[in-house]
Amino acid sequence: VSLQEEIVRLGMAGHSVLGILPTGGGKSLCFQIPALHRFFTMGALTIVVTPLQALMKDQVDGLIAKASLSCVAALNGLQTPPEKAEVREAVRLGSIGILYVSPEQLRNSSFKRTILQREIGCWVFDEAHCLSHWGHDFRPDYVYIARYIRELAAEQGTPVPPVMCVTATAKDDVKNEIVK
């Protein structure tokens, strides 16, 4: 069994996972396959937090073009207010199954109001090394994410959803902090 297959199996089973795969090792498929399964079987939303807006756009464009999927979208600082409003409305209406966001979106009250109306099937952290103070790309907005996820689940009256973290690079101290 490949590492990629094992991560997908764990994700499909609803487990939290830390997956460390080399660049080009198929990290995106590890969370996209379970996310699409959750969406098409239960209507659940998977939120993918990624620090790279260009990567976010590539992921969304790729899924739309290659897989003819219309259930994927992104919210980031490069969009106009009308574009963001259109995405939030599609999320609210339940037509989005995978939503890519920058970590800064979690500070946005309209984003929170939008996702409160949906069952969150999983939180995904792409480039998960950014979650660690020891990671080379740490961003302050990552400090509060674990609390945000717990508080959102409490507000929704649901258990905390599984969390999948994927990255290409993580030393032991980074891995330990991500898991914690």
Side-chain angles (χ1 to χ4, degrees):
V1 174
S2 72
L3 183 56
Q4 190 182 37
E5 184 179 344
E6 183 65 19
I7 294 169
V8 169
R9 287 178 194 262
L10 290 166
M12 296 283 278
H15 295 285
S16 290
V17 180
L18 169 57
I20 301 171
L21 294 122
T23 300
K27 290 182 291 294
S28 298
L29 280 176
C30 290
F31 61 80
Q32 290 169 345
I33 292 170
L36 291 169
H37 175 32
R38 278 189 294 277
F39 177 65
F40 288 119
T41 59
M42 302 178 294
L45 175 66
T46 296
I47 299 173
V48 181
V49 181
T50 182
L52 306 170
Q53 294 182 1
L55 177 64
M56 196 185 299
K57 181 174 175 12
D58 288 347
Q59 295 281 328
V60 171
D61 291 350
L63 284 168
I64 291 169
K66 294 175 188 161
S68 300
L69 293 171
S70 59
C71 64
V72 59
L75 276 174
N76 62 56
L78 298 176
Q79 294 165 310
T80 65
E83 288 170 331
K84 290 178 188 174
E86 185 179 329
V87 170
R88 285 194 303 269
E89 184 64 11
V91 171
R92 256 194 296 281
L93 293 172
S95 58
I96 300 298
I98 302 175
L99 180 64
Y100 286 82
V101 299
S102 59
E104 293 78 14
Q105 287 297 316
L106 278 65
R107 284 188 269 141
N108 184 315
S109 59
S110 60
F111 171 75
K112 185 175 182 184
R113 282 192 306 275
T114 298
I115 64 171
L116 269 170
Q117 300 176 34
R118 293 287 303 278
E119 176 188 350
I120 309 298
C122 185
W123 286 85
V124 174
F125 293 93
D126 197 4
E127 306 296 335
H129 59 273
C130 294
L131 286 163
S132 169
H133 284 86
W134 306 106
H136 61 274
D137 289 331
F138 176 71
R139 300 221 321 240
D141 282 289
Y142 282 102
V143 170
Y144 307 103
I145 288 179
R147 186 176 79 196
Y148 182 93
I149 291 170
R150 285 192 303 273
E151 289 175 357
L152 185 77
E155 204 171 325
Q156 290 180 310
T158 62
V160 174
V163 174
M164 182 178 286
C165 297
V166 294
T167 186
T169 57
K171 295 178 181 165
D172 286 343
D173 52 355
V174 174
K175 288 182 214 172
N176 292 337
E177 190 175 359
I178 292 169
V179 169
K180 186 181 99 177

